[in-house]
Amino acid sequence: MSILAYGLNYRTASLELRERVAFPEADLRDALIGVVGEVRGVKEAAILSTCNRTEFYVMADHDGRRRLQEWLHDAHNLDPSFANTLFELDDDAALRHIGKILWDDFKMHREAHPIFRAAYEMNPSPEAAHDAFGSIGNDDFESAIAVLNQGLRD
């Protein structure tokens, strides 16, 4: 298993496709439950979905990556060519990408993005964050979630 940042954004996909793939904030929790519950090979997940991007941050094995693409295709009834618009980053590159997105969003809005508020609601304590993300085996990712959760409580 490895950490994966996966999805499409304003650099890889047209506005029309980004709008089709976006999850409204009210649907994010159900989409997250769907990914973790329905996509074999994906162990943990977060979804960041805005007008500029729909990105998945997951712990996945090789088959989980392929199945995540199939799930996204089916969830939005997309043409198979949408796969050409996807990007994929592994492990350290994925963590750097997540950090940049969080920092840019925080600078712009001075608050955490709704998906990280949802992560807090699902895992409100450092102990719960450890339980939820401890199986990743990557102290950087686990620490990042704990810091996010602490910041959301403060």
Side-chain angles (χ1 to χ4, degrees):
M1 292 238 163
S2 60
I3 299 170
L4 175 68
Y6 183 85
L8 50 87
N9 59 40
Y10 66 94
R11 292 185 178 133
T12 67
S14 68
L15 177 59
E16 179 184 358
L17 181 58
R18 293 192 321 264
E19 287 175 344
R20 281 192 68 197
V21 173
F23 292 95
E25 186 174 342
D27 296 342
L28 278 174
R29 189 177 188 92
D30 288 340
L32 183 61
I33 291 168
V35 168
V36 174
E38 298 170 18
V39 181
R40 199 166 32 121
V42 170
K43 191 159 184 167
E44 287 110 10
I47 301 170
L48 176 62
S49 188
T50 69
C51 60
N52 285 327
R53 66 187 75 243
T54 295
E55 297 180 0
F56 296 81
Y57 311 119
V58 301
M59 275 302 301
D61 62 22
H62 182 72
D63 288 335
R65 296 165 187 234
R66 179 182 50 77
R67 289 186 186 111
L68 180 58
Q69 179 179 327
E70 292 169 358
W71 182 89
L72 184 58
H73 171 272
D74 295 346
H76 294 287
N77 194 27
L78 299 170
D79 184 273
S81 66
F82 97 100
N84 298 329
T85 66
L86 297 171
F87 75 90
E88 185 175 313
L89 300 169
D90 287 314
D91 297 319
D92 290 343
L95 290 171
R96 282 191 299 275
H97 177 74
I98 295 166
K100 181 182 181 323
I101 296 299
L102 289 174
W103 179 245
D104 289 348
D105 192 60
F106 181 78
K107 285 191 307 185
M108 184 181 298
H109 303 290
R110 294 291 182 208
E111 65 176 301
H113 189 275
I115 191 61
F116 296 103
R117 287 196 301 270
Y120 169 71
E121 291 167 7
M122 292 172 69
N123 300 296
S125 70
E127 295 79 19
H130 180 273
D131 292 344
F133 296 99
S135 63
I136 288 174
N138 185 313
D139 292 337
D140 293 334
F141 192 73
E142 184 179 333
S143 297
I145 295 299
V147 168
L148 283 170
N149 284 337
Q150 184 62 45
L152 289 169
R153 274 194 299 282
D154 294 343

